[in-house]
Every structure is written in structure tokens, then in C-alpha cells.
């Protein structure tokens, strides 16, 4: 009970009678009963932005800095599980805090609400989820730019010893100015032997060796789904699926070869790093040979022809004209 | 039935399991809790699904819960096979089928002590309602069950707040969440504050406090109505609107 309760010790005020619970009232109660109590914090609650597996993300207003933030507040349906969930949320916040990159949402603050729920305040990002952006249509150049930025962000995380483990369009945000943000690092774990992450998030470090099964079916690598040991190539697998999703109608052999290599069942058959995958996608964009598709000379010629079509036609036209000219000249000389 | 936290304190024991208890008082209390949670959904289900008139639905509702206690209907419930409300609906359907057969042979006699259930209120809620399509009956029954759960928790909370002399907190919940649901038409904090003689901060703090108390009661009741923790977690998340991934 808080001060507001004490202030109500006055039975003089008339209390309205209550009618049977309407559908609208039921919906209202279901929506508001989990609203976090921000009374003891610097934030004011605005509206829910979305729900995830562990909690709800709210738009909130930071009174101190006079700005909107995204406030991720843990659900706490069962007290016995709350401690483990709080640890997981804090671990995610610590992972994010050490990943300073334009493609990763920065964490501003963490804390505990009066009701014991843990919250994380993050920069509020405005934009559209990639899955929704894809349905509304993306230009070819835009798809390449987005993929390159996503790959760069994931490669950066790998360089800091962090695997995302849940890469999919629903966890990728396209910002108002074309920037890309990789969201939802709730399943992130340490790469093997990454000591630094063990210090900030020991539970996540352990998860890399033990519970690796978490992820999204259809996107996670087979070894991840089986709960086996995973490394960068698990994220490579998900990014291969992303390439497939970004170019769903792409029938070009180099593109199919890139997807096939990135999503190969055996990790050893995949690209060893995200950077290698990104480089191959860039080669495909530029019309160069991709490492995923060894070429015999006819394919090489066909690719060259497609890439330098104008030059081939120019040279071909010159050769034909030159032959015609020489034949004409020989004929004239013979007649003379 | 009158809810009373003194008579049946908040507990984490499952009444779904306790109703099979060999301890008669415990069994009786669990049964009362189940009646409180389910009588109205059952009554409306009988009216809409079985097209029973008000009197018939009233008799069947009374008959169903009386037989459930006397003949141990709920002893056959297996949490591994179905949710309790699904099982309960199957029991209701079975009883109605038998009742209709029996009615062909003879008029059913009395002998069952009637429960104190507010059928007039339930009937009033049905007035003007378009009966749901048969394929929507599951959703309808589920929604009625949720309403019943919340109504029970609201009655309990109202009694506690009034007893503690905190009527203004109750007033706040009624005015803000029950009378004016929906964000677009919602009262402003300042407006409600003027009604109560409170500052905006007192209104927001009060609203959080009373919602938290309601939440605790809803979840406590839900826990009683679930057979195990897994079911409780799943129901709690579904009830409070968490999207399944």
C-alpha cells in the first residue's frame, strides 16, 4: 500500500455502483493489469510498443532528460521464475551495453520497479520491422544496403564475442533514415572462450555450451535446434535464410549457391564468418564470381558476357565490320 | 455466493484438484469456488448452445453443480488430457443429453437444494445478445469464463477496500477502468482527481495500487482454477494478453 492508499481512508466519497463486466471493460482490465508502476522512477508511462517472450516494451518519457525511451519491463507471472527472468534481462542489458555500434540499440539505464520487476531503458527507435518493410516492397539497391548493414552489425557482435542466435526479419528494424538496427538480444550468448562476456553475463556464457536450443524454428541452424555447440556459423545460417527472404524470387545460380552454402546443414560447409557471406553477396551484386559457385569456362564466359554486355557487343560489332571491310577490300583488290 | 477472503483465503492450492479431496470441508470449499467461477458461463452456454429457455437453463445449471458435488463428476478430470473448462463443458453436454432423454420418460423430480445464484443478472446480460455461431462457442465460453474470473476478483477487492475504508480507490477503478474503458474515451487523470479531491500524482499512484491489488486477486483465483503450474503460467500469460511467439 502506498501514500495514495492512505489518502483514501475516507468513506465519505460516493462510490459508483458497478454494472456487469462489459466486453470493453474486460479488455481494458486485461490490458492495464500488467502496467508497470513507474512511480519511483524518472519515467512516465506512455503506451505499449510490443510484447516479447519475457516482457513488454513500453514507450516512456524520461523526465530528467526530457526524451522518449523504450522501456522493457519484465513480466512476472510466477514469482518463483522472476529471479531467473530478471537475471536474463539484466544479462541482455549487459550484453547490449558492451556492444556500442550504430546497428545496436544502446541501453540507457536498468533498475527495479517498486513491485520488484526489472526494467531496462533503451533508446526508442522509430522505424519499421524488416518483415513488414519486405511486404511493402524494397528496391534492389535497398535490399543490398540493408543486408550489408545487418551483416556488418552481426560481424561486429561476433568480434566482441557475442552470438545473436535469433536473427530473423522480426528482430530487424529499418529506421526512418535507412539505418538498420538488430534488436532482441535476449538469446545472445558468448562465443566459446570469450572471457569478457563471462564477467558481465555468466548465465549467458554458460548457455553457449549448455542450453543452445533456444531460437526460432525455420531460422536457427540445425546444430542450434539440436542443442549442440554453436559458433558464428549459427548466425551465418540465419543470415543465409535472410538472403533467401530478401530475394525470394531470385533464380540466379550464384544467389542460390550463396543461400545453399550459408544454410548448409553441416557448419563446416558454411561460410566461416559473416564477413565472408557478406563479401559473396556483394560479389554477386557486382556481377563478379562468388566463392559459393565454382565456375567452368562456359559459366565464366556467360557471367562475363552479362556483366560486360555492351563491351562484348562493341567488340563484336567492330570485328564483324572489320572482317566485312577486309573482305570488301580483298574483293576490290582482286577485281583490280 | 458471497466471496470472502476470510472464508476462503487466497491460496495457491488448486481447487480443481481439491474438489476431489477426501476431506469433506475442503471438498465443499473447492466446489463453491468452482461454482462461483463457472456457473454463469455454464448458464449462458446452456441458453445459447442448447437453446434452453431461462427456466430450463436455470434448472440445468443447478442440477449440474449439485450432481457434480454429489456424484463426483469432477473426480474424472485428468489435467493431462484437457483443460478443466473443456472437461466441464463435456460434462455439461453429457448431462444435458441425459436430461433430455430422461425428460422423454418422465418429468424430473426435485430434491436438489437450490444454489443461490443470480440468474436474473445473467439473463439480463444475455438480453439483446446475438447468439454466437456454433464455431465461436469455444471462444464465447472462454470469454465468459474470463469475465466470471474478473468479476469474482472485483467483488472480493470491492469488499476489502470498503471494509478498509478505502472507497475512493474503488471509485477510481470503477470510474477509470470499468465505466470508461478504451483509451480514446478515457477520463483524464486531472478530471478523476477533481472528483476525488486528489492530485494527478495521487490518482496515478492510486490507480497503480488498485490495479496491482486486482491483479493479485485475479492471479490468485486463476491459480486455484488451474491444475498445475504449467497450466497456470500459460493461462496467466494468455489472460493478461501476452502474444505467443
Amino acid at each position: 500500500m502506498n501514500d495514495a492508499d492512505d489518502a483514501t481512508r475516507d468513506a465519505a466519497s460516493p462510490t459508483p455502483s458497478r454494472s456487469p463486466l462489459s466486453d470493453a471493460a474486460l479488455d481494458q482490465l486485461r490490458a492495464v493489469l500488467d502496467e508497470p508502476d513507474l512511480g519511483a522512477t524518472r519515467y512516465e508511462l506512455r503506451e505499449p510498443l510490443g510484447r516479447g517472450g519475457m516482457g513488454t516494451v513500453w514507450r516512456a518519457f524520461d523526465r530528467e532528460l526530457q526524451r522518449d525511451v523504450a522501456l522493457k519491463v519484465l513480466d512476472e507471472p510466477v514469482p518463483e521464475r522472476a529471479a531467473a527472468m530478471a537475471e536474463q534481462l539484466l544479462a541482455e542489458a549487459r550484453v547490449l551495453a558492451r556492444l556500442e555500434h550504430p546497428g545496436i540499440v544502446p541501453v540507457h539505464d536498468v533498475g527495479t520497479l517498486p513491485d520488484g520487476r526489472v526494467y531496462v531503458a533503451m533508446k526508442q527507435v522509430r522505424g519499421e520491422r524488416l518483415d513488414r518493410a519486405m511486404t511493402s516492397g524494397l528496391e534492389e539497391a535497398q535490399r543490398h544496403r540493408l543486408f550489408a548493414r545487418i551483416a556488418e552489425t552481426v560481424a561486429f557482435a561476433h568480434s566482441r564475442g557475442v552470438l545473436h542466435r535469433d536473427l530473423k526479419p522480426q528482430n530487424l528494424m529499418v529506421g526512418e533514415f535507412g539505418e538498420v538496427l538488430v534488436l532482441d538480444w535476449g538469446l545472445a550468448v558468448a562465443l566459446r572462450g570469450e572471457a569478457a562476456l563471462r564477467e558481465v553475463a555468466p548465465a549467458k556464457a554458460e548457455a553457449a555450451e549448455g542450453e543452445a536450443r533456444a531460437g526460432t524454428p525455420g531460422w536457427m541452424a540445425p546444430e542450434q535446434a539440436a542443442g549442440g555447440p554453436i559458433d558464428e556459423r549459427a548466425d551465418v545460417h540465419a543470415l543465409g535464410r535472410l538472403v533467401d527472404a530478401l530475394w525470394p524470387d531470385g533464380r540466379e545460380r550464384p544467389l542460390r549457391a550463396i543461400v545453399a552454402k550459408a544454410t548448409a546443414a553441416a557448419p563446416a560447409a558454411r561460410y566461416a564468418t559473416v564477413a565472408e557471406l557478406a563479401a559473396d553477396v556483394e560479389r554477386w551484386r557486382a556481377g563478379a564470381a562468388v566463392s559459393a559457385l565454382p565456375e567452368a569456362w562456359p559459366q565464366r564466359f556467360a557471367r562475363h558476357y552479362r556483366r560486360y554486355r555492351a563491351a562484348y557487343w562493341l567488340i563484336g560489332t567492330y570485328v564483324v565490320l572489320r572482317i566485312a571491310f577486309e573482305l570488301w577490300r580483298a574483293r576490290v583488290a582482286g577485281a583490280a | 455466493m458471497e466471496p470472502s477472503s476470510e472464508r476462503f483465503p487466497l491460496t495457491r492450492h488448486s481447487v480443481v484438484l481439491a474438489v476431489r479431496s477426501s476431506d469433506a470441508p475442503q471438498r465443499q470449499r473447492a466446489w463453491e469456488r468452482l461454482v462461483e467461477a463457472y456457473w454463469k458461463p455454464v448458464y449462458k452456454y446452456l441458453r445459447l448452445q442448447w437453446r434452453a429457455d431461462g427456466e430450463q437453463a436455470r434448472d440445468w445449471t443447478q442440477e449440474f453443480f449439485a450432481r457434480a458435488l454429489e456424484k463426483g463428476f469432477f473426480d474424472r478430470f485428468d489435467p493431462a488430457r484437457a483443460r478443466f473448462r473443456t472437461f466441464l463443458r463435456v460434462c455439461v453436454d453429457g448431462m444435458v443429453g441425459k436430461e433430455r432423454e430422461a425428460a422423454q420418460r418422465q418429468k424430473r423430480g426435485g430434491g436438489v437444494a437450490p444454489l443461490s445464484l443470480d440468474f436474473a443478472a445473467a439473463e439480463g446480460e444475455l438480453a439483446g445478445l446475438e447468439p454466437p455461431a456454433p464455431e465461436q462457442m469455444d471462444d464465447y465460453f472462454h470469454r465468459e469464463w474470463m469475465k466470471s474470473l474478473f468479476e469474482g476478483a472485483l467483488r472480493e477487492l470491492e469488499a476489502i477496500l470498503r471494509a478498509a475504508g478505502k472507497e475512493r480507490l474503488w471509485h477510481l477503478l470503477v470510474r477509470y477502468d470499468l465505466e470508461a474503458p478504451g483509451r480514446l474515451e478515457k477520463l483524464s487523470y486531472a478530471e478523476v482527481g477533481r472528483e476525488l479531491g486528489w492530485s494527478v500524482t495521487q490518482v496515478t499512484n492510486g490507480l497503480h495500487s488498485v490495479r496491482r491489488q486486482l491483479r493479485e486477486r485475479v492471479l490468485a483465483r486463476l491459480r486455484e482454477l488451474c491444475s498445475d503450474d504449467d497450466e497456470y503460467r500459460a493461462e496467466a500469460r494468455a489472460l493478461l494478453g501476452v502474444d505467443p511467439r
Side-chain angles (χ1 to χ4, degrees), chain A residues 318-332:
Chain A
Y318 171 78
V319 170
V320 168
L321 289 175
R322 183 65 191 253
I323 291 170
F325 174 72
E326 292 299 335
L327 287 174
W328 173 77
R329 198 168 65 174
R331 198 168 170 184
V332 169

Side-chain angles (χ1 to χ4, degrees), chain A residues 1 5 7-10 13-16 18 21 23 27-28 30 33-36 53 78 81 184, chain B residues 143 147 151 165-171 177-178 183 186 198 208-209 211 215 233 237-239 245:
Chain A
M1 295 278 167
D5 291 352
T8 64
R9 292 186 192 284
D10 175 5
S13 82
T15 305
R18 191 169 62 78
L21 199 59
D23 284 327
D27 292 339
Q28 164 80 2
R30 290 178 67 197
L33 281 200
D34 256 5
E35 280 190 0
V78 183
R81 296 177 63 219
D184 205 341
Chain B
R143 197 164 178 82
K147 278 187 189 175
E151 282 178 344
K166 297 180 179 176
E167 293 211 334
R168 281 193 285 186
L169 269 187
W170 174 248
H171 179 110
D177 286 336
L178 303 182
R183 291 188 174 274
K186 190 177 281 185
W198 280 357
H208 279 303
S209 168
R211 284 172 177 169
R215 178 175 181 261
R233 287 187 192 115
R237 293 171 79 79
L239 189 70
R245 281 225 258 194

Side-chain angles (χ1 to χ4, degrees), chain A:
Chain A
M1 295 278 167
N2 59 21
D3 294 342
D5 291 352
D6 297 331
T8 64
R9 292 186 192 284
D10 175 5
S13 82
T15 305
S17 60
R18 191 169 62 78
S19 359
L21 199 59
S22 65
D23 284 327
L26 175 66
D27 292 339
Q28 164 80 2
L29 289 176
R30 290 178 67 197
V32 300
L33 281 200
D34 256 5
E35 280 190 0
D37 177 3
L38 303 184
T41 71
R42 59 199 270 187
Y43 306 105
E44 288 173 13
L45 201 66
R46 293 294 193 250
E47 77 267 349
L49 295 173
R51 282 187 181 270
M54 286 201 310
T56 303
V57 181
W58 299 82
R59 186 170 72 82
F61 181 69
D62 182 343
R63 283 191 300 270
E64 301 289 329
L65 297 175
Q66 296 285 300
R67 65 179 178 183
D68 281 344
V69 297
L71 205 68
K72 189 169 187 175
V73 182
L74 192 70
D75 283 338
E76 190 199 4
V78 183
E80 294 86 340
R81 296 177 63 219
M85 291 170 72
E87 172 59 31
Q88 195 177 344
L89 188 62
L90 284 173
E92 179 187 354
R94 287 169 184 151
V95 166
L96 285 173
R98 69 195 295 264
L99 294 178
E100 286 186 41
H101 187 276
I104 297 173
V105 184
V107 169
H108 297 323
D109 182 21
V110 295
T112 306
L113 299 177
D115 64 8
R117 285 189 280 180
V118 173
Y119 68 87
V120 178
M122 295 175 284
K123 178 185 173 186
Q124 192 197 349
V125 293
R126 291 179 174 81
E128 189 177 25
R129 261 172 35 181
L130 182 59
D131 55 325
R132 291 172 186 150
M134 287 194 304
T135 56
S136 55
L138 292 170
E139 300 291 331
E140 180 70 7
Q142 201 179 0
R143 292 182 220 185
H144 280 287
R145 193 169 59 246
L146 291 176
F147 182 77
R149 290 182 179 175
I150 293 163
E152 181 191 293
T153 305
V154 177
F156 167 79
H158 289 179
S159 75
R160 295 294 184 273
V162 176
L163 297 179
H164 187 284
R165 290 205 306 170
D166 199 18
L167 293 166
K168 56 185 176 182
Q170 291 87 340
N171 286 342
L172 300 163
M173 178 82 86
V174 183
E176 290 174 304
F177 304 104
E179 71 272 30
V180 176
L181 291 153
V182 179
L183 307 175
D184 205 341
W185 293 78
L187 295 181
V189 292
L191 281 163
R192 260 175 211 292
E194 179 58 34
L197 187 66
R198 288 175 189 282
E199 289 169 17
V200 295
K204 287 195 173 298
E206 291 307 316
E209 283 95 29
E211 181 269 312
R213 207 179 302 259
T216 302
W219 290 88
M220 63 177 153
E223 68 274 19
Q224 187 178 343
I230 57 172
D231 58 19
E232 295 99 319
R233 292 170 294 185
D235 282 347
V236 166
H237 182 281
L239 289 177
R241 288 263 174 261
L242 182 64
V243 171
D244 197 28
L246 280 168
W247 287 277
D249 302 322
R251 291 283 172 269
E252 294 174 46
R253 289 185 69 226
L255 174 65
R256 304 322 317 161
I258 289 171
V259 172
K261 182 172 180 179
T263 59
R270 289 178 215 145
Y271 296 96
T273 65
V274 171
E276 285 182 19
L277 167 61
D280 237 9
V281 173
E282 175 56 23
R283 284 188 208 101
W284 168 61
R285 186 195 67 77
V290 300
S291 72
L293 184 66
E295 291 178 326
W297 75 264
Q299 283 98 29
R300 191 176 306 156
F301 173 75
R303 181 173 52 75
H304 268 269
Y305 174 73
R306 281 195 301 273
R307 188 176 182 185
Y308 303 111
R309 191 186 302 257
Y312 271 97
W313 274 99
L314 205 62
I315 293 167
T317 305
Y318 171 78
V319 170
V320 168
L321 289 175
R322 183 65 191 253
I323 291 170
F325 174 72
E326 292 299 335
L327 287 174
W328 173 77
R329 198 168 65 174
R331 198 168 170 184
V332 169

Side-chain angles (χ1 to χ4, degrees), chain B residues 203-216:
Chain B
V203 169
T204 55
N205 287 348
L207 208 48
H208 279 303
S209 168
V210 73
R211 284 172 177 169
R212 190 175 65 245
Q213 292 177 60
L214 178 61
R215 178 175 181 261
E216 286 168 5

Side-chain angles (χ1 to χ4, degrees), chain B residues 2-236:
Chain B
E2 287 186 9
S4 160
S5 57
E6 286 74 30
R7 187 162 54 83
F8 198 93
L10 295 182
T11 170
R12 285 181 177 168
H13 295 146
S14 166
V15 294
V16 172
L17 301 179
V19 78
R20 294 182 286 182
S21 167
S22 55
D23 177 38
Q26 188 183 20
R27 186 184 175 95
Q28 175 73 23
R29 283 197 301 273
W31 175 80
E32 286 174 11
R33 204 61 151 178
L34 286 175
V35 172
E36 186 188 358
Y38 284 102
W39 79 264
K40 204 184 278 187
V42 166
Y43 175 78
K44 292 183 179 179
Y45 176 73
L46 290 167
R47 289 277 285 112
L48 299 172
Q49 174 73 5
W50 287 92
R51 305 280 189 247
D53 60 28
E55 188 181 349
Q56 180 72 88
R58 202 158 51 233
D59 284 350
W60 278 348
T61 304
Q62 296 272 11
E63 179 78 9
F64 174 73
F65 285 108
R67 279 200 206 175
L69 181 66
E70 287 167 10
K71 301 191 176 177
F73 274 3
F74 300 146
D75 293 1
R76 296 194 298 265
F77 170 58
D78 179 0
R81 295 179 62 188
R83 285 181 172 167
F84 183 78
R85 60 176 175 274
T86 306
F87 168 78
L88 183 134
R89 273 185 55 193
V90 171
C91 289
V92 169
D93 290 342
M95 186 206 73
V96 172
K98 284 180 185 168
E99 282 290 312
R100 285 200 160 166
E101 280 175 22
Q104 302 297 322
R105 296 190 295 270
Q106 62 180 51
K107 185 82 175 169
R108 181 181 60 77
V112 180
L115 300 166
S116 172
L117 303 176
D118 190 358
F119 288 109
E123 194 59 33
E125 292 167 30
L126 285 173
L129 178 77
E130 192 68 30
E135 67 273 14
Q136 292 170 338
M137 193 47 80
D138 272 346
D139 292 340
Y140 178 77
F141 190 80
H142 178 55
R143 197 164 178 82
E144 285 303 313
W145 171 78
M146 285 193 291
K147 278 187 189 175
S148 187
L149 181 73
F150 271 87
E151 282 178 344
L154 283 165
R155 279 196 300 272
E156 191 175 306
L157 181 61
E158 180 182 9
I160 289 170
L161 291 177
R162 284 184 191 280
K166 297 180 179 176
E167 293 211 334
R168 281 193 285 186
L169 269 187
W170 174 248
H171 179 110
L172 185 61
L173 184 73
V174 172
R175 293 287 284 130
Y176 213 79
D177 286 336
L178 303 182
E179 286 186 350
R183 291 188 174 274
L184 290 178
E185 57 200 67
K186 190 177 281 185
L187 298 166
S188 71
Y189 292 137
E191 203 173 334
V192 180
R194 273 195 297 277
E195 286 179 14
L196 296 169
W198 280 357
S199 67
V200 168
T201 306
Q202 282 177 308
V203 169
T204 55
N205 287 348
L207 208 48
H208 279 303
S209 168
V210 73
R211 284 172 177 169
R212 190 175 65 245
Q213 292 177 60
L214 178 61
R215 178 175 181 261
E216 286 168 5
R217 274 155 188 83
V218 167
L219 289 177
R221 281 170 174 265
L222 179 66
R223 187 149 198 163
E224 287 175 358
L225 296 173
C226 295
S227 51
D228 57 33
D229 267 2
D230 286 343
E231 185 188 357
Y232 168 66
R233 287 187 192 115
E235 292 279 20

